[in-house]
Amino acid sequence: MDTRDYVYVRLDPKEGSTPSDRTTIRTHTQAARRDGFVVHSRWAASERVGASVAASGRPKLQQLIRKLRPSDAVIVYTLDGFGRDASDILKTIRLIHEMGAEPFCASLGTKENLFNDNEFRSALEAMAVLERLTEAERKQAKAKGRGVAGGRIGRPPSLDEATQAAVRTDLDAGDTVAAVARRYNTSHQTILRIRDARKRS
């Protein structure tokens, strides 16, 4: 059974359908042919999908993978053709490998099967770990109501802690909310929030 070399092209969804689509597909196909792959036009799959969409959400890519036979090849021009991030790319090239086929990326300047390129795969795995740690930290910080750098999410207080303490002192002394707001050049609502926060505590 003859092997088949497929090219997969992710088209930018922002551009809409344009004559340049054919040029993009032809450019990617020609790059694969220069690397020695035999790509017939009917073996070029393309779809208009954002770079942030996971490989599992790309119907044409999944359809292509499902029909792979042993020793077939899937060539993308840039790595984002295989997924949205390092973890997703790793998952895709493993899936292609499990089908008995081979994943390649023309722009990397190597004709090495990506799954068998240990240096490349190690770098991608390290990046995937970093991405997972960053995402976990971001979610944890969000759950605590803080940003990743330790700051609060949302608008910062308009008055610092020392000024808020002074506001509470003035209110205790009998000054009106309007007078205190004018004194500290802030809004009536801000002074009310400081006053009410103390009542709740």
Side-chain angles (χ1 to χ4, degrees):
M1 186 178 291
D2 292 336
T3 60
R4 299 170 297 187
D5 298 335
Y6 293 96
V7 165
Y8 171 77
V9 184
R10 185 190 66 79
L11 298 170
D12 191 341
K14 295 179 183 177
E15 293 182 359
S17 184
T18 66
S20 66
D21 289 352
R22 283 198 210 73
T23 303
T24 301
I25 295 167
R26 186 165 58 248
T27 298
H28 290 204
T29 302
Q30 288 172 348
R33 287 171 180 160
R34 283 195 299 271
D35 284 341
F37 296 100
V38 181
V39 184
H40 296 296
S41 57
R42 67 180 181 277
W43 293 345
S46 65
E47 62 188 321
R48 195 169 299 285
V49 63
S52 62
V53 176
S56 60
R58 304 180 185 186
K60 291 288 183 66
L61 176 60
Q62 293 304 308
Q63 183 181 15
L64 187 160
I65 292 173
R66 283 195 298 272
K67 67 182 179 183
L68 288 173
R69 301 180 306 201
S71 298
D72 284 352
V74 181
I75 308 104
V76 296
Y77 190 72
T78 53
L79 279 176
D80 67 301
F82 281 139
R84 67 181 177 188
D85 54 27
S87 298
D88 201 33
I89 292 166
L90 271 172
K91 184 177 179 181
T92 302
I93 66 175
R94 282 196 182 111
L95 181 58
I96 291 171
H97 173 75
E98 288 167 3
M99 299 291 289
E102 300 178 298
F104 296 89
C105 179
S107 68
L108 292 183
T110 174
K111 298 178 183 179
E112 182 100 26
N113 173 339
L114 295 182
F115 188 84
N116 292 339
D117 187 337
N118 293 329
E119 187 175 342
F120 166 80
R121 211 163 79 247
S122 295
L124 208 59
E125 286 167 353
M127 192 178 299
V129 170
L130 178 61
E131 288 172 348
R132 286 194 293 271
L133 288 173
T134 302
E135 179 66 11
E137 183 178 321
R138 187 191 66 79
K139 288 180 178 177
Q140 186 178 34
K142 187 175 181 181
K144 291 180 179 178
R146 296 179 177 273
V148 171
R152 290 179 46 151
I153 291 176
R155 291 178 58 189
S158 57
L159 300 177
D160 60 29
E161 289 295 334
T163 306
Q164 289 184 45
V167 166
R168 287 190 287 270
T169 299
D170 290 349
L171 291 172
D172 289 342
D175 290 352
T176 65
V177 169
V180 175
R182 283 194 300 272
R183 185 173 303 139
Y184 295 101
N185 192 29
T186 190
S187 69
H188 188 91
Q189 196 62 34
T190 297
I191 302 302
L192 287 175
R193 275 198 296 270
I194 294 170
R195 183 196 67 185
D196 294 344
R198 182 174 56 178
K199 289 179 180 178
R200 289 194 298 271
S201 62

